[in-house]
Amino acid sequence: MTELHLWLRHEVRSTERRTPIVPLDARRLVESGVTLTVEESAQRIFPAEEYEAVGCRIALSGSWVSAPADTVVLGLKELPDDPAELTHRHIYFGHAYKQQPGAKDLLHRFAAGGGALLDLEYLVDDSGRRLAAFGFWAGYLGAALAVLQHRGRLVAPLTPTSKDELDALLQPAPGEPEFTALVIGALGRSGRGARLALLTAGVEATPWDLEETRDLDRPVLLAHDVVVNAVLATTPVPPFLREQDLNDPARALRTLCDVTVDVGSPLNVLPIYDRTTDWTAPVRRLREDPPLDLIAIDNLPSLLPRESSTDFSSALLPQLLEFETGGPWGRCIDRFRQASRELDIAEGEFHHD
């Protein structure tokens, strides 16, 4: 591997406390010869001092913009609006390849600067399986919040916690009414996490996966009290719920958590809402009579920042240790160029081949 300089940036989203690389794995990178610069960040679950102690360089928040051109900038969520021209290779979840709002503007910035997006969602093996993902914890937290909301115990604003504290909250109180739950996408990472959280809460969920969604039985879906969607569609499929379904007088569904949060995408399997919820206002009332509450938070794992970061970092570490222009990272570059062509964006002078 050629000498790699990674730059772990501060996250501009105030509720983002996760990190793609934890200090323990940062040590492995440094020992392997990687130069790792870590920006100061008051909100990151691991303080900069822990990175400095394992041999990382420390830099000011946001200073990645002036890093050397061959630096690879590493993050998780969206970039700030400036600079207008992105000159580096950036590794993060870009959400720009499925016609999401702002996608074209973002890819134009890369084209203008000659940089590239290596989207973590598309870091996959030869069979197309994701190599690093937060899915399990997203599912776990999505189901946990749905349980707490359904039981009238969800407190806003949300604050980060630990798994032990969350699991204690999930325990049913004596005499608390039972309810039914459905997990769609039950066999994937997110679905497995959702089912475990529901079991922790004393609820054995109905599991739906490919077979059940191929010929969707909406009346059965609507007969469940709580539904957790963990399906991320990659090709067009009929929506799981439509506006008219919410008005069905037989609807028992009261609490819906969309873990996937694919709002704005034409592939969205729940096109019944047009904006996400957040930590300040985690629940949105979609219907009043009978009530239907929606939870659609797009950074759920940040509510368990230590556990989710540790898991993700352990999966990403081997890929960073073998960072090269071919293999999984090469596929990321190919997907970036394909997405740019699909949006008729003239490719910039990409100078990192």
Side-chain angles (χ1 to χ4, degrees), residues 134-142 163 189 193 300-301 304 307-308 311:
F134 284 101
F136 177 86
W137 291 109
Y140 196 95
L141 281 153
K163 183 174 181 295
R189 288 188 181 100
L300 283 167
L304 287 180
E307 293 89 344
S308 62
D311 280 1

Side-chain angles (χ1 to χ4, degrees), residues 77-193:
K77 302 300 285 186
E78 65 272 6
L79 293 170
D81 292 336
D82 293 316
E85 299 182 358
L86 296 170
T87 60
H88 300 94
R89 287 171 290 181
H90 282 261
I91 299 173
Y92 74 108
F93 291 99
H95 303 301
Y97 296 167
K98 290 184 290 185
Q99 302 177 38
Q100 293 101 323
K104 192 166 187 176
D105 290 341
L106 175 64
L107 294 179
H108 268 300
R109 292 171 68 190
F110 280 109
L117 169 60
L118 287 76
D119 197 310
L120 285 165
E121 185 178 337
Y122 297 85
L123 183 67
V124 297
D125 63 16
D126 293 338
S127 64
R129 181 173 175 77
R130 296 266 296 273
L131 291 169
F134 284 101
F136 177 86
W137 291 109
Y140 196 95
L141 281 153
L145 296 185
V147 167
L148 295 175
Q149 172 63 17
H150 196 74
R151 288 176 172 165
R153 290 198 243 137
L154 188 63
V155 177
L158 304 177
T159 56
T161 185
S162 69
K163 183 174 181 295
D164 288 345
E165 292 172 337
L166 179 60
D167 288 353
L169 291 174
L170 290 177
Q171 300 306 307
E176 203 158 34
E178 294 184 354
F179 63 87
T180 60
L182 168 67
V183 175
I184 311 178
L187 300 183
R189 288 188 181 100
S190 295
R192 293 196 303 270

Side-chain angles (χ1 to χ4, degrees), residues 316-348:
L316 184 61
L317 175 64
Q319 309 310 318
L320 293 176
L321 288 171
E322 298 178 5
F323 187 87
E324 56 184 18
T325 55
W329 297 110
R331 284 190 283 271
C332 286
I333 289 295
D334 291 342
R335 188 64 186 85
F336 162 70
R337 289 173 165 162
Q338 176 188 339
S340 297
R341 288 193 300 269
E342 288 170 352
L343 292 173
D344 296 321
I345 295 173
E347 195 169 320

